[in-house]
Amino acid sequence: MTKILITGGCGYIGSHTAIELLSNPEIEVISVDNLINSSAQTADRVGQIAGRNMKNYQVDVCDKEALSEVFEENPGIEGVIHFAALKAVGESVEQPLRYYQNNLLSLINILDCCEKYEVKNFIFSSSCTVYGEIDQLPVTEQTPTKEAASPYGNTKLVGERIIKDFIAISENVNAIALRYFNPVGAHDSGLNGEDPINKPNNLVPVITRTASGMIPQLTVFGGDYATRDGSCVRDYIHVVDIAEAHVKALEYLMEGKNEDRYEYINLGSGNGVTVLEAIQAFEKVAGLELNYVVGDRRPGDVGAIYSDSSLAKEKLGWEARRGIEEMMASAWKWQMNLNEGVAV
Ligand code: UD1
């Protein structure tokens, strides 16, 4: 059995990746998640969908001693995927120290454990936020990173740098930072998806909750950008595609296919979709009209960002397979299951 430890295995992307990892009977998945922004039921859902369980330790990755115990109890871990982090941009502006403490200390602790327990392969959840204000589209891995617009974004930028400095002196570890664009959607079964405990700010949960009547009306943030319909362009990517990319990235490292000991790879679809197009795709697959208005711009938003995803294809043999309608249909199926109590 190949033991893989994931932090944040009950979170949105972590749980979908756990399902994909568990589909390989040779892999054992150990999760560390303190459940501050997720629920223990997610671990049950993962087990239900995958047909076998991951083991979740309710441990804070910032607690070095408790984290070390997980490694002691599970000797021979071959790979770590570090998802666990706080990720609300607005909240990070209000609570910068909490974000720096949580996101950076957890990263330092997990890297320390990787070195101590001789884990060879490390994958970090990064974000396209590291590119900041963009001058040229699409964004490649050669696009320079810029000063981050928020403390959250800075934890990803500084996190990538911490890994770089660590890899330079590490005896054992090879690493990849996966820079996600906009992960959305849910598992095709409709039994696992995004369920923000706090008020959602991201577009797709706001769409599905507006359609469910939980939010009275959606505001499209800005109709005067220099885009084809005036609303912002983003590179939405199905969460199951993202999960599959993690499995491929892990295999790539474990098979020693990496050229450098630390590599950066964009995970996007390569397609820009406007907010209004995303809403239309939702309306089409859900067969209803969404109550929305076009309002003011949201401070901190960039007008357009989308990826060049050729490096992921070249190195990992991965590309996004699911389009915007599939993303919306799966998110809606998940939301309806939540509404009807089929999923909890
Ligand atoms: C945001 C973060 C990004 C983070 C990502 C995590 C910012 C500036 N960026 O990306 O760092 O990695 O979430 O998922 O916050 N929109 C509306 N109405 C809404 C909600 C969103 O029009 O009610 C629009 C936004 O203006 C944006 C698009 O939908 O153009 C996507 O927004 P969102 O889902 O919040 O993602 P990002 O802002 O792209």
Side-chain angles (χ1 to χ4, degrees):
M1 277 296 224
T2 305
K3 287 184 197 170
I4 304 298
L5 183 140
I6 62 180
T7 69
C10 296
Y12 177 44
I13 301 173
S15 61
H16 286 89
T17 303
I19 293 166
E20 296 308 313
L21 288 169
L22 287 166
S23 72
N24 178 344
E26 295 302 314
I27 293 182
E28 178 185 342
V29 181
I30 300 142
S31 162
V32 177
D33 192 315
N34 63 355
L35 306 178
I36 56 159
N37 202 18
S38 58
S39 80
Q41 281 147 341
T42 306
D44 299 338
R45 282 188 214 132
V46 166
Q48 193 189 339
I49 296 168
R52 63 196 185 95
N53 291 327
M54 67 174 179
K55 197 183 331 174
N56 185 58
Y57 288 85
Q58 192 175 345
V59 158
D60 188 339
V61 186
C62 291
D63 181 344
K64 178 84 179 288
E65 224 168 281
L67 182 65
S68 300
E69 276 170 31
V70 177
F71 280 85
E72 293 284 346
E73 268 185 41
N74 298 279
I77 290 169
E78 290 184 42
V80 165
I81 312 181
H82 181 47
F83 296 103
L86 297 171
K87 62 155 199 167
V89 175
E91 190 181 66
S92 79
V93 175
E94 285 154 24
Q95 304 172 24
L97 298 184
R98 180 170 167 240
Y99 269 67
Y100 285 119
Q101 164 133 17
N102 185 80
N103 291 4
L104 298 184
L105 186 57
S106 57
L107 175 63
I108 291 164
N109 285 347
I110 194 83
L111 290 175
D112 225 3
C113 283
C114 286
E115 190 67 4
K116 186 169 167 202
Y117 295 97
E118 298 180 3
V119 177
K120 293 197 179 62
N121 308 294
F122 183 81
I123 294 174
F124 178 57
S125 288
S126 191
S127 164
C128 66
T129 189
V130 299
Y131 296 114
E133 278 287 331
I134 303 298
D135 306 320
Q136 228 187 332
L137 288 168
V139 177
T140 74
E141 290 78 359
Q142 264 69 53
T143 302
T145 57
K146 293 239 184 82
E147 191 177 334
S150 69
Y152 157 75
N154 209 22
T155 65
K156 294 297 176 191
L157 200 56
V158 176
E160 286 196 356
R161 180 59 203 249
I162 289 173
I163 298 169
K164 181 170 180 241
D165 294 341
F166 163 73
I167 293 294
I169 56 91
S170 164
E171 302 267 331
N172 305 306
V173 187
N174 285 258
I176 297 179
L178 294 175
R179 292 172 170 165
Y180 312 155
F181 280 69
N182 285 61
V184 300
H187 193 263
D188 308 330
S189 63
L191 295 175
N192 190 39
E194 189 172 14
D195 187 19
I197 288 181
N198 302 316
K199 185 173 164 277
N201 299 305
N202 292 119
L203 181 65
V204 174
V206 172
I207 288 178
T208 58
R209 289 186 187 203
T210 304
S212 306
M214 297 155 78
I215 297 174
Q217 188 177 53
L218 178 147
T219 302
V220 175
F221 295 137
D224 57 353
Y225 286 98
T227 60
R228 49 188 174 266
D229 61 23
S231 65
C232 290
V233 168
R234 292 290 182 274
D235 185 341
Y236 298 98
I237 169 153
H238 198 296
V239 67
V240 178
D241 279 328
I242 288 258
E244 288 172 358
H246 285 78
V247 177
K248 296 218 163 178
L250 198 58
E251 285 167 0
Y252 170 82
L253 281 183
M254 290 173 80
E255 289 165 12
K257 290 184 174 161
N258 51 317
E259 284 159 53
D260 295 315
R261 292 195 48 216
Y262 185 29
E263 297 183 349
Y264 309 87
I265 301 179
N266 287 343
L267 292 186
S269 70
N271 294 319
V273 170
T274 70
V275 176
L276 292 172
E277 287 164 354
I279 291 173
Q280 279 157 17
F282 175 82
E283 291 182 326
K284 183 176 166 202
V285 296
L288 47 81
E289 270 184 36
L290 200 71
N291 182 15
Y292 69 89
V293 284
V294 178
D296 292 340
R297 293 182 175 195
R298 179 171 68 176
D301 270 347
V302 294
I305 181 166
Y306 54 92
S307 70
D308 177 319
S309 296
S310 46
L311 195 68
K313 188 169 181 194
E314 185 189 312
K315 285 187 177 280
L316 309 180
W318 171 92
E319 61 187 327
R321 292 187 294 144
R322 300 162 176 87
I324 189 74
E325 289 186 8
E326 213 171 333
M327 298 180 213
M328 292 299 178
S330 62
W332 184 227
K333 189 171 173 189
W334 161 243
Q335 182 70 55
M336 285 193 297
N337 279 343
L338 276 178
N339 297 352
E340 289 161 16
V342 176
V344 284

